[in-house]
Amino acid sequence: MKNKWTKRLSVFLAAVMAAGLCACGSSAPDSTKEGTASSPAAESVQAEGSDEGISEESPYYGKGYDLAERKNVVLYVLGDAPADMDKVLEEANNKYLIPNLNTTLEIKFLNWSDYQTKYSLVLAGGEDVDLIYTASWCYYNEEAAKGAFKELDMDFVQKYLPYTYEQQPEVSWEQAKIGDKLYAVPKGNASFSNYDFIVARKDLIDKYGLTEPEDWETFKEFLTELAKVQGETGVIALNTNANRNQTLEPYLQAKGYDYFTEGFDYFYNAENKEELPAWDSVIYLYTSDLYLEYAKEMAELAKAGVWSKDAINDTNDATAYFENGTSGCIGWNFSAIDAGEKMEKAGLGTFAVYDVSPDIHMARSRYNGDMIAIATNSKQPERAALVLDYMKSDVDLNRTMLGGIRGEHWDLNEEGQREVLDAAENYSWNSWAWALNRADEPVMAGTDERRLAITESIDSRELFAEVAGFTFDSSSVATELSVVNSIVDEYEYSFSLGIYGDNTEAKFNEFKSKLEAAGLDKVTEAMKTQYEAFAAQ
């Protein structure tokens, strides 16, 4: 979703605190490598073009770029626009992008309720789009196969993303490739964004003597017990919907399964081992006995009233339900703790963090878990690349995009730790800019002990899996894969919400037959062939 060089939490905190202090007030792109502000890659650009229209202090001044004409770059991202998005964009444009690149940035949001239908339409239609968020799980392979993303050779990267090229871990470029071709710029920091845990209402657990969800079985017990007292609490045990599956990841983790290669529905049981798995240990999730058992368990939870009977039709952001106190828990990554903190701040209850797979070793998400691509239809790919380079490489601009205006939404204390200010409720840190993440983001001052504890626990069980180096080029089976994925979209949320009830196994067999008829075996064989070639190397 892995090159792992992460240190223990204490070392990591010290490093990023120091980085935050050093970066404070910087207006030139930062790097761990000496001399990046005078990047050799940037210097190599032909001394042609025009610096007219940009400041002599610009890190792009004198590098040969033609920046004489004011241009507007359009970036599409996922999620809901923060209330202060316009204010933050005005700051980013007036303080950074206009004086230093003679460019304005416009950001458009594809919200969680309909991005699946709108994403391809934006790229295929007549919309102005220069940059767009993508990921192994967000149409990267599919849209690259369609030709919707500009192929990026390393000459282009060195020329138009010079500072990013210098700063980015080398492994990140490899993990972002499809075969030997690159179609997007990956994030600069790999985290445990794929590791899900449960954030639950501790006040309700204490008041009603509920089972604490410390593994998968006790999680199910907790849900059914909380559902039984809904009439008293007014709280739905798991107020989930078809926007976010909050049970599948914890289930797979508890069973020891991890992604075989990100962006595809193939998994393997690592058994806490780093070595490459044998091919016969790899499963396609949706035709496996593992998934059938999951679907049956979801049908039982639905029957017990764990979530709303109308959840399949709910298009709201499920995170908000925990924040506003109407959900008894949320299953997700560290964003779940953010939701818990908002709920507590509103005085609606208290929360605790539970790991349902406490003995399982897992790998970090891969760098292709968050990326930004240049649209093939962009009329200004070079300018778009420069804007992306600036947002990723300049510490001050980067933190403006991630967290808003310093002194209004956030600030740094004397130790270089990030402090949350009152206006942060209108622009929370890293709510959409995941593909811009850097390794030197400042640690939040007064970080909640619950967050630190789960971080340290996960970090201590990091798995440096050799399979992280494998990426699958699906271009030869793009047609079959497209049909397979559309069938998955048709059925998966019905299974995860237990819609089929006592008819679950029959529906699973129907689902499985459709997948096989769509050419799943051909996709699997292509993946097997590529993996065996990779393993032989």
Side-chain angles (χ1 to χ4, degrees):
M1 234 202 233
K2 261 169 184 132
N3 190 14
K4 318 289 184 313
W5 45 70
T6 304
K7 303 176 179 63
R8 289 293 227 177
L9 180 64
S10 58
V11 179
F12 175 78
L13 293 179
V16 294
M17 287 176 196
L21 283 171
C22 293
C24 182
S26 169
S27 62
D30 183 53
S31 174
T32 56
K33 297 186 178 182
E34 184 177 349
T36 297
S38 302
S39 163
E43 295 286 6
S44 68
V45 177
Q46 294 291 325
E48 55 189 33
S50 172
D51 291 320
E52 182 182 348
I54 67 170
S55 166
E56 292 185 8
E57 302 301 316
S58 167
Y60 300 94
Y61 185 87
K63 309 300 184 186
Y65 302 112
D66 187 355
L67 300 170
E69 181 183 351
R70 173 71 57 84
K71 292 187 177 182
N72 182 62
V73 167
V74 177
L75 164 65
Y76 273 82
V77 297
L78 302 189
D80 298 313
D84 279 354
M85 188 71 248
D86 289 344
K87 180 185 291 188
V88 172
L89 259 184
E90 183 178 6
E91 171 91 352
N93 282 327
N94 291 336
K95 189 172 181 179
Y96 300 98
L97 292 168
I98 292 175
N100 293 321
L101 281 176
N102 198 17
T103 306
T104 55
L105 177 66
E106 181 179 352
I107 299 179
K108 297 186 178 182
F109 286 78
L110 298 172
N111 61 49
W112 293 115
S113 64
D114 58 10
Y115 84 93
Q116 292 171 311
T117 57
K118 289 186 176 179
Y119 192 94
S120 293
L121 296 177
V122 166
L123 290 166
E127 302 280 349
D128 284 337
V129 52
D130 299 296
L131 301 169
I132 188 167
Y133 175 87
T134 187
S136 56
W137 56 270
C138 185
Y139 307 111
Y140 180 49
N141 289 276
E142 296 92 328
E143 294 300 332
K146 294 178 186 175
F149 298 150
K150 175 180 172 61
E151 182 182 342
L152 307 175
D153 60 51
M154 295 316 291
D155 287 341
F156 181 91
V157 170
Q158 291 183 58
K159 184 173 182 179
Y160 293 106
L161 292 115
Y163 300 111
T164 298
Y165 175 77
E166 294 294 324
Q167 297 174 18
Q168 197 86 4
E170 185 176 348
V171 67
S172 67
W173 299 113
E174 294 304 312
Q175 290 185 3
K177 289 180 179 179
I178 299 175
D180 60 353
K181 295 183 178 181
L182 180 71
Y183 297 95
V185 179
K187 60 186 175 183
N189 184 40
S191 65
F192 281 103
S193 59
N194 286 340
Y195 195 97
D196 284 11
F197 41 83
I198 308 302
V199 173
R201 287 283 295 274
K202 188 65 166 64
D203 57 314
L204 298 181
I205 290 173
D206 292 341
K207 181 176 181 179
Y208 293 96
L210 305 177
T211 299
E212 295 193 79
E214 295 177 335
D215 56 29
W216 178 252
E217 293 303 318
T218 54
F219 176 46
K220 291 189 296 178
E221 291 175 24
F222 160 76
L223 290 173
T224 54
E225 291 170 1
L226 185 53
K228 289 177 181 178
V229 294
Q230 183 179 334
E232 297 180 48
T233 65
V235 173
I236 296 174
L238 180 60
N239 205 347
T240 189
N241 55 31
N243 261 348
R244 176 168 290 124
N245 189 333
Q246 298 184 52
T247 54
L248 182 57
E249 290 282 355
Y251 171 80
L252 292 173
Q253 285 171 201
K255 302 296 182 181
Y257 281 81
D258 197 0
Y259 287 91
F260 177 64
T261 182
E262 289 193 29
F264 302 93
D265 298 316
Y266 291 80
F267 289 76
Y268 79 109
N269 192 325
E271 299 179 336
N272 292 347
K273 297 177 182 177
E274 298 178 357
E275 293 79 13
L276 288 175
W279 174 256
D280 59 12
S281 69
V282 178
I283 63 169
Y284 177 73
L285 177 63
Y286 294 112
T287 56
S288 68
D289 292 340
L290 182 72
Y291 189 73
L292 173 58
E293 182 58 33
Y294 165 78
K296 288 179 177 179
E297 292 185 18
M298 294 305 101
E300 290 299 316
L301 292 177
K303 187 182 296 185
V306 166
W307 45 75
S308 167
K309 291 181 179 179
D310 195 43
I312 193 72
N313 297 314
D314 186 354
T315 59
N316 294 310
D317 183 357
T319 311
Y321 291 133
F322 194 72
E323 293 175 0
N324 65 27
T326 62
S327 182
C329 66
I330 178 173
W332 202 15
N333 55 26
F334 286 92
S335 296
I337 297 179
D338 296 337
E341 291 173 343
K342 290 179 181 179
M343 184 268 296
E344 280 192 348
K345 186 177 180 181
L348 299 172
T350 61
F351 75 89
V353 180
Y354 298 95
D355 189 348
V356 299
S357 48
D359 300 319
I360 300 298
H361 292 223
M362 299 289 283
R364 289 175 180 268
S365 63
R366 299 173 193 176
Y367 286 92
N368 63 1
D370 298 295
M371 302 183 286
I372 292 179
I374 299 174
T376 300
N377 291 337
S378 172
K379 300 179 178 64
Q380 48 194 10
E382 296 84 4
R383 186 71 66 95
L386 289 171
V387 168
L388 177 57
D389 183 59
Y390 197 19
M391 289 192 293
K392 283 174 61 67
S393 64
D394 182 87
V395 171
D396 293 333
L397 175 57
N398 182 266
R399 292 179 181 174
T400 299
M401 305 310 292
L402 262 67
I405 301 170
R406 183 174 179 180
E408 182 172 345
H409 299 102
W410 65 279
D411 211 338
L412 295 178
N413 62 21
E414 292 180 356
E415 289 74 39
Q417 300 170 325
R418 177 169 55 86
E419 295 181 323
V420 177
L421 305 183
D422 290 342
E425 63 182 7
N426 296 321
Y427 200 97
S428 58
W429 188 272
N430 204 20
S431 64
W432 62 266
W434 320 300
L436 302 180
N437 282 355
R438 296 168 53 96
D440 59 1
E441 290 175 27
V443 174
M444 188 166 69
T447 299
D448 192 291
E449 290 297 324
R450 292 162 291 190
R451 186 188 295 268
L452 291 175
I454 189 66
T455 299
E456 187 169 16
S457 173
I458 297 171
D459 195 55
S460 70
R461 294 177 282 122
E462 182 174 0
L463 186 72
F464 297 86
E466 293 179 0
V467 74
F470 174 64
T471 58
F472 176 52
D473 180 359
S474 62
S475 57
S476 65
V477 289
T479 300
E480 291 81 4
L481 189 60
S482 177
V483 178
V484 164
N485 288 340
S486 68
I487 295 170
V488 170
D489 290 342
E490 179 186 348
Y491 282 85
E492 77 168 313
Y493 281 107
S494 293
F495 282 122
S496 69
L497 294 172
I499 297 297
Y500 298 125
D502 294 338
N503 201 34
T504 294
E505 187 163 358
K507 277 293 184 179
F508 172 79
N509 290 331
E510 174 186 295
F511 179 40
K512 183 176 179 179
S513 295
K514 286 187 177 181
L515 290 169
E516 291 170 347
L520 176 61
D521 289 347
K522 185 177 178 181
V523 177
T524 300
E525 186 60 32
M527 182 170 289
K528 177 185 177 183
T529 299
Q530 291 183 33
Y531 176 65
E532 290 180 340
F534 165 80
Q537 296 174 3

